[in-house]
Amino acid sequence: GENKAVRPPKGTERWPSPSEKAGVDTTILLKPAFGSHRPSQDAILIFAEGYDLSIYLAFVESLISTGYSGDLVISISNEEKLKPGVKEYLQSKNSQIGGVNIVAYEVNWTCFKKTGEAAAGSNEGINHCKMNDAFGDASGNPISDPREPRPVATARYELYWMWSLQYNKESWLMLIDARDVWFQLHPFQELTTRGKVFGELHLFGENADAVKIGTSRYNRSWLITAYGEKAVSPYFKQPVICSGSTIGNQDAIETYLRAMVAEYDTTLCKSKGCDQGFHNYLYYSGKLGTINSESNVEGISKVIVHEQGKGIINNLGALRAKPLSELGLYDPKKELVLNWDGTTSAVAHQYDRDKAANVMVKGKKRQFERQWRASNN
């Protein structure tokens, strides 16, 4: 039945299932608030709590316009905290109608300020939170979160892991930041035309000329805080890989997610952003497999890193010195974000750091809002 507690698969010794922290018979109790997973489909997994309708509109409507008809799995605020119109809008996108199918989870968090006093919500991910009612014992009775309060930006990898279990191993899954993403082409098109593959993990860099791990105050400090300078200084000359944009087959993504949660459990790094430290460490330390060749890690057959502006997801955040149009990465006439070779970027991430691209998306958001309100009156 729908409401049975689910016993997750066991992980490996190196990267146990996140549920095992509460004991080996731990079950997963978390269920969607609305929508149903379709195991044979591809899926995009996002953590998007607390946003205004316009952010959901930009994400979902730009995604729909690419012809994507897979699942979109989304963590939204509890019903009483949702901003006006959000639930009605998200519920209108489901597999019965065709097109994108939204599966929404309303996670119940207990959050704390730095001082330790109770807080109402995650405060943009700065407050530390515990996840309530996600795990159960062998008979399905809720048990408390086995982890200490941590930023939801770190805890989202545990949610992604639970969701990833709902898909077949050849499904393509994308993990992406929700707030600053604009879709321009079908995000999995170039992957699905290659026939069936398993175990691929695709990572996406930030611009290597603009930023290296050692020259970015944030990235450097996340790594040092988690691992100590001696362990990570060999990576200081390397490009930053963005933890807010990852694609892979279900088997590779599920393995990667166990690895990400295990890094938190090992380091207990609680700064907001430490997840990007874990992500870079896992890659550069070779833990995810031999770099840029066949991987030797169970579940991952190959790890591929795409340079900025040369892959499905174009991470624009580091390019602040000049407008994107001057770099040839934005075409104001066509209103498109481009790759370095002039082709259209399938997914523009962090577009809002560029004035022209941001103004363009804002205009489209207003258009989407008008259309949505008109169709609902």
Side-chain angles (χ1 to χ4, degrees):
E2 259 304 290
N3 294 321
K4 281 228 302 283
V6 178
R7 178 165 301 191
K10 278 190 74 61
T12 55
E13 205 167 315
R14 179 196 236 176
W15 298 324
S17 288
S19 54
E20 289 177 47
K21 185 152 177 76
V24 283
D25 326 338
T26 307
T27 53
I28 297 174
L29 303 183
L30 199 64
K31 294 278 182 293
F34 55 87
S36 308
H37 295 274
R38 299 174 299 168
S40 61
Q41 295 285 330
D42 299 328
I44 297 171
L45 315 183
I46 62 174
F47 184 86
E49 296 194 7
Y51 296 136
D52 289 333
L53 179 60
S54 70
I55 287 181
Y56 300 103
L57 279 165
F59 191 101
V60 178
E61 293 297 327
S62 70
L63 179 60
I64 288 171
S65 70
T66 68
Y68 176 79
S69 60
D71 285 359
L72 170 60
V73 189
I74 172 169
S75 176
I76 56 175
S77 314
N78 278 5
E79 185 144 5
E80 64 278 7
K81 292 189 188 140
L82 280 177
K83 303 274 170 79
V86 170
K87 185 158 194 174
E88 296 70 20
Y89 172 68
L90 296 176
Q91 277 183 312
S92 74
K93 310 290 176 193
N94 57 57
S95 51
Q96 279 74 50
I97 296 165
V100 70
N101 173 54
I102 291 184
V103 185
Y105 285 80
E106 295 176 4
V107 179
N108 182 8
W109 303 96
T110 303
C111 299
F112 304 90
K113 294 181 183 156
K114 289 269 189 310
T115 57
E117 62 184 302
S122 75
N123 182 20
E124 297 278 314
I126 295 161
N127 291 340
H128 293 177
C129 304
K130 280 179 98 74
M131 207 188 295
N132 302 327
D133 310 324
F135 293 130
D137 62 18
S139 12
N141 305 307
I143 54 177
S144 63
D145 186 340
R147 290 177 175 83
E148 292 174 17
R150 58 218 172 279
V152 291
T154 301
R156 65 183 164 157
Y157 292 88
E158 298 155 43
L159 288 174
Y160 291 160
W161 171 73
M162 294 181 220
W163 302 343
S164 76
L165 301 174
Q166 301 286 337
Y167 294 92
N168 299 348
K169 70 175 188 172
E170 68 272 14
S171 289
W172 288 103
L173 304 181
M174 176 189 290
L175 316 173
I176 193 147
D177 292 338
R179 189 184 53 77
D180 50 7
V181 168
W182 182 249
F183 292 94
Q184 304 187 127
L185 295 171
H186 189 300
F188 299 124
Q189 195 78 53
E190 65 179 68
L191 296 170
T192 47
T193 49
R194 292 167 36 214
K196 279 204 165 133
V197 294
F198 299 101
E200 283 191 3
L201 185 64
H202 294 258
L203 309 178
F204 298 87
E206 298 188 15
N207 183 271
D209 298 322
V211 65
K212 299 273 194 288
I213 287 174
T215 58
S216 158
R217 195 163 55 96
Y218 288 113
N219 284 282
R220 186 185 166 124
S221 113
W222 292 325
L223 278 162
I224 291 173
T225 306
Y227 301 102
E229 184 149 5
K230 202 166 139 217
V232 297
S233 56
Y235 316 140
F236 284 174
K237 291 192 168 59
Q238 300 290 354
V240 173
I241 305 171
C242 175
S243 63
S245 54
T246 302
I247 294 176
N249 296 110
Q250 184 276 342
D251 47 2
I253 288 283
E254 191 270 337
T255 304
Y256 157 80
L257 291 168
R258 280 188 280 114
M260 285 289 283
V261 179
E263 289 309 310
Y264 168 72
D265 285 340
T266 307
T267 63
L268 294 177
C269 182
K270 289 189 180 184
S271 315
K272 183 192 174 190
C274 264
D275 56 294
Q276 184 145 302
F278 305 155
H279 185 79
N280 280 274
Y281 178 77
L282 281 169
Y283 176 66
Y284 286 120
S285 66
K287 276 190 170 185
L288 292 174
T290 321
I291 290 181
N292 275 341
S293 67
E294 300 301 310
S295 167
N296 44 6
V297 173
E298 182 193 338
I300 300 176
S301 61
K302 201 177 196 178
V303 184
I304 301 135
V305 174
H306 302 269
E307 289 173 34
Q308 180 271 321
K310 296 184 180 180
I312 294 172
I313 301 169
N314 190 350
N315 295 315
L316 302 160
L319 295 166
R320 299 186 187 206
K322 285 185 176 158
L324 294 181
S325 57
E326 267 182 54
L327 297 168
L329 294 178
Y330 181 68
D331 181 335
K333 285 202 177 66
K334 293 184 177 159
E335 300 190 317
L336 286 172
V337 173
L338 305 173
N339 297 319
W340 288 106
D341 65 2
T343 55
T344 301
S345 297
V347 186
H349 180 217
Q350 306 158 326
Y351 65 81
D352 58 341
R353 321 293 200 272
D354 182 75
K355 194 174 167 200
N358 195 31
V359 167
M360 179 273 290
V361 173
K362 275 190 169 155
K364 306 260 192 195
K365 278 183 184 172
R366 284 195 292 273
Q367 209 177 317
F368 292 148
E369 276 199 75
R370 282 197 298 273
Q371 285 163 342
W372 168 245
R373 300 212 189 287
S375 67
N376 273 288
N377 285 341

